[in-house]
Structures are given as structure tokens and as C-alpha cells.
Amino acid sequence: MFSSDEERITYLEQRLGMKIDPVGTGDTATIAVGTALFGVTLIFIITAWINRNFRPIRAKNLPMVTILFVTGFLWFVGDIPMNGHVLFKGAFRNCKEWNIWARVLFCFWYTTGLIVRCYALDRVFNQNKPTRGIAYYAPSAVLILFYLCYSIVTQAMPDRLTIGFNSQLEVCTTTDGYQYVTIGILWINWIIFSIMMIRLRNIQSTFNEFYESLFILGFGVAAMIKTTVVHFTHHRYTFIMGYRVAETIGDAFICNGVILVIIAYPVIRSVYRAKEYERKWLLRLRTDGLQDMYETNMKLRAEMPLQYSRMNGSATTNQFEKNVMGGEADEGNYFDMHAYSNKDRKDEAGKALKLNSGVYMADDDMHTSPQVGRNDMAAEESGNRRRPHFDRRSLNSLDMMEAPEKVRHIL
């Protein structure tokens, strides 16, 4: 319709009665900055996968973090044409596809991934339930399928009711109703995340991501306020350089900031004094984070002993530490809790969960940490013999597993 972009800008300014900033170097710089942000995050992701056997990294659920990165990047890709950083020519005229199947859908799935992370931690440490089975996967599947159905329905609806390309103005136009519904669903997602975040405050400190989730919620609420205000007060924000840059850079900053809050520190420590940090992390796991859970399972020793098998590690001074620090685990699982039958009790008695009074030894050649002497071990074994007989009622009081024969995967 227009012979040049200048002619189109002049026509739009007369038609809309406003000054329009043409696509230019500012938009190119915006795309470059956003891409650089994702590039930095990608370096952290790659480093995390290289050092994936580093226990503090594996405790962050690296596969889910990677999914967050992919969905966040595709969300950013959808932002580029929909925020007006490119001319609507060729494939960029497919406004519905770019908006529904890139920008909106992956934004939905990004927030869903955050909810799933919180739900997995809550289910294991607050509900004492395994991360498997229909009850675990059903909520995530429902959310994913709902957003997929929402995208299919909006794609099937006429452009005049959702979003479409206006050939006269050569711009993408969106209806108010479609914007209100989409932004409303995003607000619901963040409300669900905030509820899950509040529940995380009850988790033992080693796996407590309450403060991390608080930062993430802050990022999310800031992004939602920004998006809500811009879309409701400036319907033609894509024509104004400042607004469209703020929208795109803001979304890119939120996507990458959330991921870096989760994995940046353990990734940095995996390359800087890694063994020292890992040893302290394991000591905290024992003495500050999961000590009560371990002691509870020691009491189960007389009836149905439970053995914790941890990720790859080096040998330690007793079977308990060997299970925590040196056991084999499937990729993506932090540690598995296996229930033993009465048949196994004889063979494993006195071996599976003997807890020394010393600290963890990350490597045999590290002599800086104290080891437990024979007298201490003898005293511990004597104390175990004097320990009262196991009372099954403690299971109910501690909300332990209803079916101890099942394997519990701790994420």
C-alpha cells in the first residue's frame, strides 16, 4: 500500500493523531541487548550442565531451569515483532501466530514452570509425598493443556475478536477483550505462584527457596504491573520507542533474572573453591536442613529401615555418609529414599543409617575436617542399643509415608 516506510509513518501520524517513532537503530539495539542477556544466561546454563554432578547445582532441578530458559527465550522472540521492533513484512505479518504461539503461550508456560518447581518442593518436603504418580503430574498437565487449548481457541476465533494484521495501516491490531483475558490469566498464574511460595517457608533451610521465590515474585509482579499499565493506558505503545523498548527489555530482564536468581550462585561456586563450598553445603544438609528427617528415618530402623542414596560422590567414613554423599542416583533426582522390607533388615542392620558425630569428609585426601574416633563410634553404637523400641505411632505424628515400600524421589 505504501511505497516507503516514511510514507507509511506520515499516513499513520495523520490517521492516529500522534507522533510515531519509526523502526530504527533503537530497535536493533533492543534486540541486541535482549539477545546478550539470554547469551549470559546461556553461559550459566551450559556451565551448570558441565558441572551437573555438583550437588548444590543438582538441587536446583537443572532440567526445569533449562525449560524455563527455552520458554523465556521463545517468549522474547515473540516480543520482537509484537512490540513493533521490526517492519510488518513477509512472515512478520502473521500477527496471530507470533502473538498466540510464541509470545503468549510461552509466557504462560514460563510462569507454569515456576509453579511446578515450587509444587515439587512443597509436595516432597511439606506433604511428604513422592514426585511421581498422577497426583504429582496432574496439576502441571492441567495447566499446560489449558493454555494449549486457550491458544487453539483464540487461533480459531476471527481476527476481529482477538488479533490480526491491518493491511490498511500495516500494523497488528489487538482487541481490548483479548488483552484483558490474557493479562488476567497471567495475574492468576502469579497469584498461584505466590501461594506456593508462602508454603515454601516451612521447608528446612537447605532446600528452602522461600527468599529466592520472594525475589522471583518481585520480578513477576513488577513485570505484570508494567505490562498491565502499558497495555491498558497506551494501546498504541508499539508506535512509541520508549514504551516498546521498555516492554521488550523488561520482559528479557525478568526472564533471565529469575533463572540467575535460581542458579547463579551455585554455578559460580562450582568453578570457584567448589570442594570447600560443597563440603559446607553437605554439612548444612545434615546439621541444619534435613537432620530431623534423617533422625526420623533412623528411628524407623527397627521396623522398616530407610536408606538415602545421594548423588555421585566420594567414599566417607560410614554407610550413612556413603549413602548421602556417594550413592548413585538417576539424572535429575536429588536423592531417592528406598523402603526396605523386614527381609532386608537383618542384612542391613547396623549398616544403613549409622550417624557419626563428626562432619562430612568430601574426599579421603582432605584432612582439614575432623574425623570420628573409635571411642565416639563405640559410644554412638552403645547409645543406639539403649534407644527405646520403635513406636509406630511416630509415623503418624511425623506425617511420614503412608506406603513405605514406595520409592520417594526428592527433587
Side-chain angles (χ1 to χ4, degrees), residues 267-329:
V267 168
I268 292 173
R269 293 310 302 264
S270 70
V271 297
Y272 173 71
R273 303 178 72 176
K275 289 186 177 181
E276 177 184 348
Y277 176 71
E278 186 175 33
R279 186 170 62 253
K280 292 180 180 179
W281 187 87
L282 289 170
L283 177 61
R284 185 183 175 194
L285 179 74
R286 173 184 176 184
T287 62
D288 190 33
L290 298 177
Q291 182 180 10
D292 293 339
M293 182 179 291
Y294 291 157
E295 291 178 352
T296 298
N297 286 288
M298 285 183 67
K299 294 177 182 178
L300 296 177
R301 187 70 194 89
E303 181 69 19
M304 43 185 177
L306 299 175
Q307 177 185 7
Y308 286 86
S309 58
R310 197 67 172 89
M311 288 80 67
N312 294 333
S314 55
T316 52
T317 56
N318 58 42
Q319 185 64 33
F320 173 79
E321 293 177 358
K322 188 178 297 182
N323 291 333
V324 174
M325 299 178 62
E328 295 293 334

Side-chain angles (χ1 to χ4, degrees), residues 60 68 113-122 126 189-203 207-222 254 257-263:
K60 296 299 183 179
L68 288 176
L114 295 175
I115 295 173
V116 170
R117 282 191 81 252
C118 291
Y119 177 66
L121 291 169
D122 174 74
N126 288 334
N189 266 11
W190 284 107
I191 291 173
I192 296 173
F193 177 82
S194 65
I195 295 173
M196 300 302 302
M197 179 204 70
I198 293 174
R199 290 183 58 84
L200 294 185
R201 76 188 190 280
N202 297 322
I203 295 177
F207 288 90
N208 189 344
E209 296 194 3
F210 174 74
Y211 294 106
E212 292 181 4
S213 300
L214 193 61
F215 277 106
I216 293 172
L217 181 63
F219 283 137
V221 171
I254 297 300
V258 166
I259 296 173
L260 293 178
V261 164
I262 296 172
I263 67 167

Side-chain angles (χ1 to χ4, degrees), residues 178-193:
Y178 175 69
Q179 290 189 38
Y180 297 157
V181 173
T182 302
I183 294 176
I185 293 174
L186 281 175
W187 271 111
I188 293 174
N189 266 11
W190 284 107
I191 291 173
I192 296 173
F193 177 82

Side-chain angles (χ1 to χ4, degrees), residues 46 48 64-65 89 129 132 155 157 175 205 209 224 234 243 247 263 269 287 292 350 357 364 375-376 388:
I46 293 174
M64 180 56 68
V65 174
K89 296 181 179 180
K129 296 179 180 179
R132 58 169 51 189
Q155 177 70 43
M157 293 175 66
T175 62
S205 59
E209 296 194 3
M224 288 306 304
H234 298 81
Y243 284 113
E247 273 289 284
I263 67 167
R269 293 310 302 264
T287 62
D292 293 339
S357 59
D364 291 339
N375 293 334
D376 293 334

Side-chain angles (χ1 to χ4, degrees), residues 132-172:
R132 58 169 51 189
I134 296 178
Y136 171 68
Y137 292 107
S140 304
V142 168
L143 285 175
I144 293 173
L145 291 176
F146 172 76
Y147 299 138
L148 186 61
C149 291
Y150 178 77
S151 300
I152 294 173
V153 170
T154 51
Q155 177 70 43
M157 293 175 66
D159 293 355
R160 59 184 176 83
L161 298 178
T162 54
I163 183 173
F165 179 74
N166 188 320
S167 58
Q168 293 183 344
L169 302 178
E170 292 191 358
V171 295
C172 290

